[in-house]
Amino acid sequence: MAVQVNFRRMNAAVPETSATPDEPDRLWRDVVGEQIRRIRTDRGERLSDVAERAGVSPQYLSEIERGVKDPSSELLAAVAGALETTVGGLARRAYRIAPVRPIAPRPVDARRTPSGPVCLAA
C-alpha cells in the first residue's frame, strides 16, 4: 500500500477546509499551531508574553505556531494554559478545521479468518 506524502512549504497558506478524498489530511502540528496563533492574536497578545507564561522561548512558540515543531503533550498543555484554554479545547478547535475522515473497513478475507478459538497473550 503506497502512502502519498504532500511536501508543502511549512509557511504556505492553507485554506480552512477539510481535505478532499484526493488531498492528504493536514498534519496535526500545522492545525494546532494555527489555532494557537489564532487564540493568541485574538487576545491581542505578543509571542513573548505567551511564551513567558508557558515557560518556553518566543522562538520555540513561533515554531509551534508555524507547524515547524511538534510539541509534547506537556508543552502543549503549558501553552494552552498560558492562553487560558485546555489541550481538549485546542483539539476541538483543530477538529473543526480539519475533521478526521473515517477509514473504510477492510474486507474480511475468509481464508485468513481463524476458525477456532483465538488465544491472545499479553
Side-chain angles (χ1 to χ4, degrees):
M1 179 168 145
V3 176
Q4 181 183 7
V5 179
N6 185 359
F7 292 102
R8 283 184 269 180
R9 290 189 46 197
M10 291 304 229
N11 295 334
V14 180
E16 286 192 11
T17 58
S18 62
T20 62
D22 296 334
E23 181 183 335
D25 289 328
R26 292 178 61 194
L27 294 176
W28 169 253
R29 67 178 181 228
D30 291 333
V31 178
V32 170
E34 180 181 301
Q35 293 312 303
I36 290 170
R37 176 170 284 171
R38 284 198 176 168
I39 294 169
R40 179 182 61 77
T41 56
D42 287 350
R43 293 168 52 102
E45 296 197 68
R46 299 179 309 164
L47 269 168
S48 57
D49 297 331
V50 175
E52 184 178 337
R53 288 195 310 269
V56 298
S57 71
Q59 294 83 5
Y60 192 75
L61 180 57
S62 174
E63 290 174 339
I64 292 170
E65 288 184 350
R66 291 180 286 129
V68 175
K69 296 290 184 184
D70 198 359
S72 68
S73 57
E74 291 85 3
L75 196 100
L76 198 56
V79 172
L83 293 169
E84 297 180 350
T85 189
T86 63
V87 174
L90 286 174
R92 282 188 292 280
R93 288 175 62 111
Y95 181 78
R96 281 187 234 129
I97 299 299
V100 177
R101 290 190 305 241
I103 298 173
R106 287 194 249 171
V108 176
D109 184 356
R111 295 171 296 178
R112 299 188 71 202
T113 304
S115 58
V118 177
C119 177
L120 300 176

